[in-house]
Amino acid sequence: MAPSPRPRARLRPPGMLPRALPALLLLLGAVPGVWCFSELFFINEPQDVTVTRKDSVILDCHAHGDVPIKVTWLKNGAKVSENKRIQVLSNGSLYISEVESKRGEQSDEGFYQCLAMNKYGAILSQKAHLTLSTISAFEVQPVSTEVHEGGVARFACKISSNPPAVITWELNRTTLPIAVDRITALPTGVLQIYDVGQKDAGNYRCVAATVSHRRKSMEASLTVIPAKESNPFHPPAIIAGPQNITTSLHQTVVLECMATGNPKPIISWSRLDHKSIDVFNTRVLGNGNLMISDVRLQHAGVYVCRATTPGTRNFTVAMAALTVLAPPSFVEWPESLTRPRAGTARFVCQAEGIPSPKMSWLKNGRKIHSNGRIKMYNSKLVINQIIPEDDAIYQCVAENSQGSVLSRARLTVVMSEDRPSAPCNVHAETMSSSAILLAWERPLYNSDKVIAYSVHYMKAEGLNNEEYQVVIGNDTTHYIIDDLEPASNYTFYIVAYMPMGASQMSDQVTQNTLENVPLRPPEISLTSRSPTDILISWLPIPAKYRRGQVVLYRLSFRLSTESAIQVLELPGTMHEYLLEGLKPDSIYLVRISAATRVGLGEASVWTSHRTPKATSVRAPKSPELHLEPLNCTTISVKWQQDAEDTAAIQGYKLFYKEEGQQEHGPVLLDASHLLYTLSGLDPRRKYHVRLLAYSNVEDGYQADQTVSTPGCVSVRDRMVPPPPPPHHLYAKANTSSSIFLHWRRPAFTTAQMINYTIRCNPVGLQNASLVLYLQTSETHMLVQGLEPNTKYELAVRLHMDQLASPWSPVVYHSTLPEAPAGPPVGVKVTLIEDDTALVSWKPPDGPETVVTRYTILYASRKAWIAGEWQVLHREGAITMALLENLVAGNVYIVKISASNEVGEGPFSNSVELAVLPKEASGSNQRPKRLDSADARAYPGYYHLDQKSATGIAVGVGIALTCILICVLILIYRSKARKSSASKTAQNGTQQLPRIGAGEVGKSLEGAVESEDSSVPMVAPSSFIDAKGGTDLIINSYGPIIKNNSKKKWLFFQDSKKMKVEQPQRRFSPAVCFYQPGTTVLISDEDSSGRPSQTTSFPRPFGAAADTEHSANSEGSHETGDSGRFSHESNDEIHLSSVMSSTPPTSHPFPGSDSGGGPAVSRCEEPAGPSAAEPTSSAVPQPPSTTLCFHRNEFPI
């Protein structure tokens, strides 16, 4: 039969099933092929409930599956008996008509579970806690207090109740109205009153009420003292800070924070881990109390309350930790399995919660206990050699203080016909101390189909022993198992296999192995109580190395200077012996061996011990030493000093060495140390450790002891696999020299004694001897003594039962940087405007200093005296800031500090900045700048260091060189165009009518200087850069500047010529005459030119402007010189040499007014061509053109 899928309903938390889900589940179960729920599961489970005595209650339990279903109830694990008061309803729910609260068995309080059973098995519900409504006496009563008028008052009361009581307050036995901003009543039972007045005086008490109870506290009086006339400054002080709180999910918590001070402090909240506070579920009650509703796991952390005096840096803080507990929830569910008989089934189940849940397994509602076939590894259930009785419903149970949760899966055992019967007549015979012969007979049924046998054996004594298996062929019916331990009992059984499956297991037989000589000697310890004796003590040999019962110890000793050996034989029940009558200040060698009934084992190596000097009467006595191997590479050294020792101990000296190697030490330890760990040792080696106390006079008596490190057992050494490594490593830097490391214990470890080794080293470390190894039995550790701002790699391994796990995955984390040790250097302040200064600085000295923020404090001298600083913050990458809104006539004081996430460094020396009055700033003085090195500077001078002066000089030199190169290039190019323009000008002047030179000069001068001319006038030695979208005109002397520009750059003009020719500039309106068949070119832009070039202007170039950038020019000429004016591209465009001798008639020309007066210009309409023709074309035009005359009668 195929297993049924697990219903989705169990994935939800208890009590969260939608109402329509039971009907849906029943419907799905009735439809074939949709989803088969024919096994057994719960639709409703009992929930926690609180009731009043004598009230009735119903605990729900609704199971679904194949009928018939029998439901029984358990209370605290015992079956509930029905009676007149307690009944099980037809739907499976438990009804209690009157809840009793008597002590003992009569009380109905407790944990209830329902057990549902049908033909497939049984399942157990989650636990439901039934509690009675109770209320205790007040644990905290309000206390009378006296408060100055305008101060704050606080009353508190506390009471325990179930369910939690609602607390209200009364003033003079009248309900206190709390709908006032200055009065806050917290749900925790705290009353806060701010700005206390005379009307608040009176008697206060709190009232705690539940559904069935109501209690009133004692009264406390509030006395209001009249306020003093003077109200001095008081720094902020928190009089009621937050308290550590442990709460459950979805509860509401209040973190109180009440502060006093003058002026009234501002209260703010933050998290110590710098995470943002949840604004959706958090709000502030009253004047600074933090309330978190619907608490979740992400709300856990340390909260910091900060009370700050407004406008200052005076503050105080208080903090508290919020711990959130969570009920168990599954992260991995067991799956239903179908397995053949004699197969293996593995169920895996993992859950999480706070605190960590305890895992257990149920079979048909009953708790499972480990045996030879069934193993439980915390959250893993393994069933070997499945038998028909294993067919059942299994439940994984996760439980902690917040509740329990269960998940189910079914194991279906498939039975097969024609399987062989079990092997019979199994018997065992001891061969030696490590071998047993096992023999059996073939199965009676289907023995000819057997293809192999499986031999299973395990130790008979103890719990959770590992079961071993050996598979052999079908050609033999006996087998010698030769890897057994001496003097141990073993249990054996046989299983026969055929192609269709396995048989049932045979009957079990038990047999013991013989004894053998001890595998190793005892570990001995040597101490002296006087200069003439040595106390020899030893520990029993571990059972795995004893190999039988020890009946005798042989003790041998001698002086190191003599070869004669004295031998003592002691009974096997003794564990110490005192050697007396020895020589003081002499070295003795001691060794020991143990014997069983078979014989003596190997003797230990000689252990040396020096007896004290005869004069060492007041020397410290030898400590009581105890060595214990923690794992294959680590030894724990513990000791205890004799309480009767009166010597003044300064400390301890520890020496250790491997057998046959050189001694290491001494390791100097403080007198308060009673524990030391030796790590980095070799496995399977014997180590000799000696310890002595010393005073300020001499060394004390020493204690010697030997110990052997176990082997690091791997998979090759045993069939038991190594334990898994720790997981979920989490590292967080606490300080600049420590990292907090946390990890989780592996899920499948059942050993009680577990130790961990932490490996820590900087990333990229080459010297392996510098790797730090630390030991602990906890799942967290603070690794200290690290370098600041250094990245470390950390790993953890687990040690249990002489087994070592692999190293966990490495986590990388960096220590925090150290707080800046020094202030920023090179602080400079420069006044760049009347009310603005620039402050600059350099990071603090030191290559390892990390800065994340700078704090700039500045204030005038008056504000500085009052302690009122203005604060600016800048990120660590920025080393300058602007100080704005400075007041003229004041002297400002500036200082800067650097900080990072660890802390803030010291402030720099104060730097003064004098802000001159406005009448002084208008003079020819330069801005004043001060720095931290020279706080007093003379006005009118810059103080530049050598690097700044050198940089400025180099920059100015480069700039002048670039300008000179540009001027030379412009002069060279303008000469080339001047020669080309001269040739064109000569051709044009031959066709012009003869006009007086003076008139021409005046007209040309007027046309060039006119701000309103229709076409810009360009000298032959000039060209226009029109492709770039500007009207810049450049000649051989440089750029020509417009008259209407606001700023005049006089780099290229002669100041004398400018002064002489300045009055000649004027605005002249233009007069234009039009003739039929001509073309008119009109420019709306202003033009300007150099007056010094107008007298030598041979002819106008009215149509010479490159208009490629104009969007309205249909026939724009293409240029090939990156926008410079090209004479070759405009050869077709020139003025006609034909001019009318008819006297011109002036008519107003609209659109030519440019602001300098009404411009008079007229062009007559042509008789022939249409005005719609292009005004600029590359095709040659007829000789007839339009001549526009300036008012000085110069043709344009």
Side-chain angles (χ1 to χ4, degrees):
M1 177 178 177
S4 302
R6 186 180 65 254
R8 293 186 182 272
R10 294 189 302 103
L11 300 183
R12 289 178 173 266
M16 299 297 291
L17 292 173
R19 294 180 178 178
L21 186 56
L24 177 61
L25 295 178
L26 294 174
L27 178 61
L28 291 177
V31 178
V34 177
W35 204 340
C36 180
F37 288 105
S38 61
E39 299 173 2
L40 191 60
F41 64 91
F42 286 110
I43 295 178
N44 289 328
E45 296 184 73
Q47 305 293 326
D48 294 346
V49 62
T50 300
V51 296
T52 306
R53 183 175 177 270
K54 297 298 182 181
D55 283 354
S56 62
V57 65
I58 294 179
L59 298 176
D60 291 332
C61 180
H62 186 190
H64 179 70
D66 281 5
V67 294
I69 299 176
K70 182 181 178 182
V71 176
T72 57
W73 281 86
L74 304 177
K75 175 190 171 185
N76 298 330
K79 185 177 179 180
V80 176
S81 300
E82 295 188 54
N83 52 41
K84 294 181 180 180
R85 194 171 52 87
I86 302 175
Q87 298 176 5
V88 178
L89 303 180
S90 58
N91 62 355
S93 299
L94 182 66
Y95 173 69
I96 304 176
S97 59
E98 291 183 1
V99 177
E100 294 289 346
S101 61
K102 297 179 181 179
R103 296 183 179 274
E105 297 180 359
Q106 297 294 330
S107 176
D108 291 324
E109 287 187 293
F111 293 93
Y112 288 81
Q113 291 174 283
C114 65
L115 180 68
M117 183 183 304
N118 68 358
K119 63 180 181 179
Y120 294 106
I123 56 175
L124 193 65
S125 72
Q126 66 182 12
K127 290 182 179 180
H129 194 193
L130 173 62
T131 56
L132 291 175
S133 176
T134 58
I135 190 168
S136 67
F138 278 97
E139 301 172 12
V140 176
Q141 300 271 8
V143 180
S144 299
T145 182
E146 295 181 352
V147 178
H148 285 88
E149 190 173 2
V152 296
R154 179 181 182 272
F155 295 101
C157 66
K158 183 180 179 182
I159 194 169
S160 298
S161 64
N162 182 33
V166 177
I167 297 179
T168 57
W169 287 88
E170 293 181 353
L171 171 59
N172 297 327
R173 303 198 174 185
T174 304
T175 301
L176 178 68
I178 58 174
V180 183
D181 292 341
R182 62 186 188 87
I183 299 179
T184 304
L186 302 181
T188 54
V190 174
L191 179 66
Q192 300 174 343
I193 306 176
Y194 284 84
D195 194 16
V196 174
Q198 292 295 337
K199 59 183 178 181
D200 297 319
N203 295 322
Y204 289 81
R205 70 178 181 183
C206 66
V207 179
T210 63
V211 177
S212 56
H213 300 86
R214 180 181 176 89
R215 291 184 183 269
K216 296 179 180 179
S217 70
M218 298 174 57
E219 290 188 342
S221 63
L222 173 61
T223 305
V224 181
I225 303 174
K228 300 178 181 178
E229 295 182 359
S230 61
N231 198 7
F233 170 80
H234 287 291
I238 297 177
I239 61 174
Q243 302 296 318
N244 294 338
I245 298 177
T246 300
T247 186
S248 302
L249 283 179
H250 310 300
Q251 300 297 315
T252 298
V253 297
V254 176
L255 297 173
E256 183 184 6
C257 189
M258 193 175 186
T260 61
N262 185 36
K264 182 180 177 180
I266 299 173
I267 295 178
S268 59
W269 286 90
S270 63
R271 288 176 59 114
L272 190 62
D273 54 7
H274 306 294
K275 293 181 180 179
S276 60
I277 295 179
D278 182 10
V279 297
F280 297 103
N281 296 329
T282 304
R283 66 186 184 95
V284 177
L285 289 180
N287 288 271
N289 308 290
L290 189 68
M291 184 176 76
I292 306 175
S293 57
D294 191 16
V295 171
R296 301 175 184 175
L297 290 177
Q298 60 264 30
H299 292 140
V302 178
Y303 289 79
V304 181
C305 167
R306 174 169 172 159
T308 308
T309 302
T312 69
R313 302 186 69 194
N314 296 324
F315 66 89
T316 183
V317 298
M319 60 185 68
L322 174 60
T323 303
V324 180
L325 303 180
S329 61
F330 286 113
V331 295
E332 187 172 1
W333 295 262
E335 298 289 344
S336 295
L337 302 174
T338 300
R339 293 291 183 268
R341 188 174 60 176
T344 300
R346 291 179 176 85
F347 295 102
V348 179
C349 175
Q350 293 193 31
E352 61 183 7
I354 301 175
S356 297
K358 179 182 178 181
M359 308 295 294
S360 60
W361 288 89
L362 304 176
K363 174 186 176 183
N364 288 336
R366 297 180 179 274
K367 192 170 183 179
I368 299 176
H369 298 282
S370 295
N371 55 38
R373 289 192 312 110
I374 300 176
K375 301 291 183 182
M376 288 185 295
Y377 305 97
N378 193 16
S379 59
K380 186 178 181 182
L381 176 65
V382 180
I383 304 175
N384 296 306
Q385 291 299 316
I386 294 174
I387 59 177
E389 290 76 11
D390 295 328
D391 191 317
I393 298 177
Y394 294 84
Q395 286 179 283
C396 172
V397 183
E399 186 175 10
N400 66 5
S401 60
Q402 299 301 299
S404 62
V405 63
L406 297 89
S407 181
R408 55 174 283 279
R410 183 180 169 203
L411 173 61
T412 303
V413 179
V414 178
M415 304 299 293
S416 174
E417 303 287 341
D418 300 331
R419 288 176 179 264
S421 58
C424 53
N425 294 332
V426 180
H427 60 279
E429 182 180 349
T430 301
M431 304 293 294
S432 67
S433 61
S434 61
I436 291 178
L437 171 63
L438 192 66
W440 63 93
E441 295 181 2
R442 293 180 178 272
L444 299 177
Y445 177 70
N446 281 340
S447 62
D448 56 333
K449 297 181 180 180
V450 173
I451 59 174
Y453 292 100
S454 176
V455 178
H456 300 257
Y457 61 99
M458 59 184 298
K459 275 192 173 183
E461 293 89 3
L463 298 175
N464 290 326
N465 291 321
E466 195 70 26
E467 182 177 291
Y468 300 92
Q469 178 181 0
V470 179
V471 178
I472 59 177
N474 64 349
D475 55 346
T476 182
T477 56
H478 63 272
Y479 184 77
I480 296 178
I481 303 168
D482 57 0
D483 58 349
L484 306 179
E485 296 181 5
S488 301
N489 290 328
Y490 285 88
T491 299
F492 305 87
Y493 67 89
I494 314 295
V495 175
Y497 283 87
M498 59 177 292
M500 296 300 295
S503 70
Q504 295 184 5
M505 51 188 264
S506 68
D507 295 334
Q508 295 185 356
V509 294
T510 301
Q511 186 70 13
N512 66 296
T513 53
L514 298 177
E515 290 187 352
N516 203 339
V517 296
L519 190 60
R520 63 170 56 173
E523 308 288 353
I524 63 173
S525 176
L526 308 177
T527 57
S528 293
R529 299 179 179 179
S530 70
T532 60
D533 64 27
I534 297 178
L535 177 64
I536 306 173
S537 59
W538 57 91
L539 297 175
I541 303 174
K544 60 185 300 184
Y545 304 113
R546 189 168 54 240
R547 305 206 289 187
Q549 182 180 359
V550 176
V551 296
L552 173 70
Y553 289 106
R554 176 173 290 181
L555 198 63
S556 305
F557 66 97
R558 66 179 177 90
L559 273 170
S560 61
T561 57
E562 299 178 0
S563 58
I565 300 175
Q566 301 183 51
V567 179
L568 297 173
E569 290 189 352
L570 306 173
T573 56
M574 292 186 63
H575 294 95
E576 66 177 18
Y577 185 79
L578 181 64
L579 294 177
E580 297 179 301
L582 306 179
K583 296 181 180 179
D585 195 19
S586 300
I587 297 177
Y588 282 85
L589 302 180
V590 180
R591 71 179 180 185
I592 191 173
S593 60
T596 62
R597 295 183 182 89
V598 179
L600 279 169
E602 181 183 1
S604 65
V605 296
W606 291 104
T607 302
S608 62
H609 180 80
R610 178 185 291 274
T611 54
K613 297 179 181 178
T615 57
S616 301
V617 179
R618 296 185 179 180
K621 302 298 182 182
S622 60
E624 183 181 345
L625 186 61
H626 177 68
L627 305 181
E628 179 184 0
L630 296 180
N631 52 61
C632 59
T633 60
T634 307
I635 296 174
S636 172
V637 183
K638 299 179 182 179
W639 63 92
Q640 192 68 38
Q641 193 65 30
D642 189 354
E644 299 179 357
D645 191 1
T646 58
I649 298 176
Q650 299 294 319
Y652 295 94
K653 294 181 181 179
L654 176 68
F655 304 83
Y656 68 98
K657 69 173 183 176
E658 182 184 342
E659 182 180 280
Q661 302 295 326
Q662 188 176 1
E663 187 176 59
H664 300 273
V667 179
L668 299 180
L669 304 171
D670 293 337
S672 59
H673 287 180
L674 299 175
L675 172 67
Y676 188 76
T677 302
L678 298 175
S679 57
L681 308 179
D682 293 330
R684 291 197 174 109
R685 294 289 188 273
K686 185 180 288 290
Y687 285 89
H688 178 204
V689 180
R690 63 187 182 97
L691 180 74
L692 58 89
Y694 66 91
S695 63
N696 54 359
V697 178
E698 59 182 334
D699 290 347
Y701 297 1
Q702 73 179 26
D704 295 80
Q705 189 172 344
T706 59
V707 68
S708 298
T709 55
C712 293
V713 181
S714 63
V715 180
R716 295 188 301 271
D717 299 324
R718 290 182 59 181
M719 296 180 64
V720 180
H727 56 90
H728 289 83
L729 267 71
Y730 169 76
K732 180 176 178 60
N734 279 23
T735 64
S736 59
S737 61
S738 64
I739 294 177
F740 179 77
L741 186 64
H742 180 270
W743 60 91
R744 287 189 183 180
R745 176 174 172 169
F748 305 135
T749 52
T750 57
Q752 298 298 323
M753 294 299 297
I754 290 182
N755 294 289
Y756 300 94
T757 300
I758 296 94
R759 186 186 71 203
C760 176
N761 60 271
V763 175
L765 181 66
Q766 300 295 329
N767 189 354
S769 63
L770 300 180
V771 178
L772 181 63
Y773 294 94
L774 302 172
Q775 306 291 327
T776 182
S777 59
E778 304 292 335
T779 56
H780 56 80
M781 189 174 196
L782 183 64
V783 184
Q784 298 177 312
L786 307 180
E787 295 294 327
N789 200 27
T790 303
K791 188 173 184 180
Y792 284 86
E793 62 177 38
L794 302 103
V796 183
R797 75 186 308 178
L798 176 145
H799 305 279
M800 53 169 281
D801 299 333
Q802 304 302 324
L803 295 175
S805 74
W807 288 103
S808 68
V810 176
V811 294
Y812 297 91
H813 202 77
S814 299
T815 53
L816 297 176
E818 289 183 323
V825 298
V827 179
K828 301 176 183 178
V829 186
T830 305
L831 191 66
I832 59 176
E833 292 185 5
D834 293 340
D835 62 345
T836 305
L838 175 67
V839 57
S840 61
W841 61 90
K842 296 180 180 178
D845 293 331
E848 300 297 330
T849 303
V850 176
V851 179
T852 59
R853 189 177 74 166
Y854 291 100
T855 301
I856 304 102
L857 300 183
Y858 69 99
S860 63
R861 283 187 175 176
K862 295 180 181 178
W864 171 69
I865 294 174
E868 298 176 356
W869 291 92
Q870 299 189 53
V871 184
L872 292 178
H873 296 292
R874 293 294 181 267
E875 295 182 359
I878 300 174
T879 56
M880 62 177 60
L882 288 177
L883 309 181
E884 299 178 318
N885 301 324
L886 305 181
V887 180
N890 284 344
V891 175
Y892 284 85
I893 299 173
V894 183
K895 59 182 181 178
I896 306 174
S897 71
S899 62
N900 54 29
E901 55 184 323
V902 177
E904 188 170 10
F907 279 91
S908 64
N909 295 330
S910 299
V911 179
E912 294 185 354
L913 172 68
V915 182
L916 302 178
K918 292 186 178 180
E919 56 271 11
S921 63
S923 62
N924 199 21
Q925 294 179 346
R926 295 184 179 180
K928 181 177 180 181
R929 178 179 67 184
L930 296 171
D931 55 39
S932 59
D934 186 7
R936 298 186 176 273
Y938 297 98
Y941 294 93
Y942 283 109
H943 291 267
L944 299 176
D945 54 13
Q946 184 176 1
K947 294 183 179 179
S948 300
T950 303
I952 293 174
V954 172
V956 171
I958 294 174
L960 292 177
T961 304
C962 293
I963 293 173
L964 181 60
I965 293 174
C966 292
V967 170
L968 293 176
I969 293 174
L970 294 175
I971 294 175
Y972 173 77
R973 293 187 175 179
S974 62
K975 287 182 179 181
R977 282 161 177 76
K978 182 176 180 182
S979 60
S980 175
S982 299
K983 297 178 182 180
T984 309
Q986 292 175 5
N987 297 332
T989 51
Q990 293 176 0
Q991 300 176 4
L992 291 174
R994 295 183 180 180
I995 304 175
E999 297 178 0
V1000 172
K1002 293 179 180 180
S1003 300
L1004 180 60
E1005 181 180 355
V1008 172
E1009 294 178 351
S1010 176
E1011 292 288 335
D1012 303 323
S1013 62
S1014 300
V1015 180
M1017 308 306 294
V1018 186
S1021 60
S1022 304
F1023 65 93
I1024 300 175
D1025 185 2
K1027 188 171 184 178
T1030 66
D1031 58 352
L1032 178 64
I1033 303 175
I1034 304 175
N1035 61 14
S1036 60
Y1037 292 92
I1040 300 174
I1041 310 302
K1042 284 187 176 184
N1043 292 336
N1044 60 352
S1045 61
K1046 294 181 180 180
K1047 295 184 180 180
K1048 299 177 182 180
W1049 303 91
L1050 307 178
F1051 293 106
F1052 296 96
Q1053 293 194 4
D1054 191 347
S1055 60
K1056 295 181 180 181
K1057 291 183 180 181
M1058 289 296 297
K1059 292 179 180 179
V1060 174
E1061 296 176 359
Q1062 188 69 23
Q1064 297 180 2
R1065 296 183 176 272
R1066 61 186 181 278
F1067 298 98
S1068 302
V1071 180
C1072 180
F1073 285 86
Y1074 179 82
Q1075 289 185 359
T1078 63
T1079 303
V1080 181
L1081 301 179
I1082 300 175
S1083 174
D1084 291 335
E1085 299 178 1
D1086 297 336
S1087 61
S1088 61
R1090 287 184 56 85
S1092 60
Q1093 295 179 357
T1094 57
T1095 55
S1096 61
F1097 186 55
R1099 79 173 184 88
F1101 285 81
D1106 186 0
T1107 59
E1108 182 179 345
H1109 67 281
S1110 175
N1112 297 326
S1113 176
E1114 299 179 7
S1116 300
H1117 302 285
E1118 298 179 358
T1119 59
D1121 53 358
S1122 300
R1124 293 188 296 273
F1125 177 80
S1126 174
H1127 293 283
E1128 291 76 15
S1129 63
N1130 291 277
D1131 289 342
E1132 304 293 342
I1133 305 174
H1134 56 273
L1135 297 178
S1136 174
S1137 60
V1138 179
M1139 298 183 60
S1140 174
S1141 59
T1142 308
T1145 304
S1146 292
H1147 292 282
F1149 186 78
S1152 62
D1153 186 6
S1154 61
V1160 182
S1161 178
R1162 179 172 183 252
C1163 295
E1164 297 180 359
E1165 290 290 339
S1170 171
E1173 295 178 1
T1175 59
S1176 177
S1177 176
V1179 182
Q1181 302 292 329
S1184 60
T1185 62
T1186 299
L1187 296 181
C1188 294
F1189 284 83
H1190 196 271
R1191 65 184 302 171
N1192 291 335
E1193 297 183 355
F1194 182 79
I1196 300 175

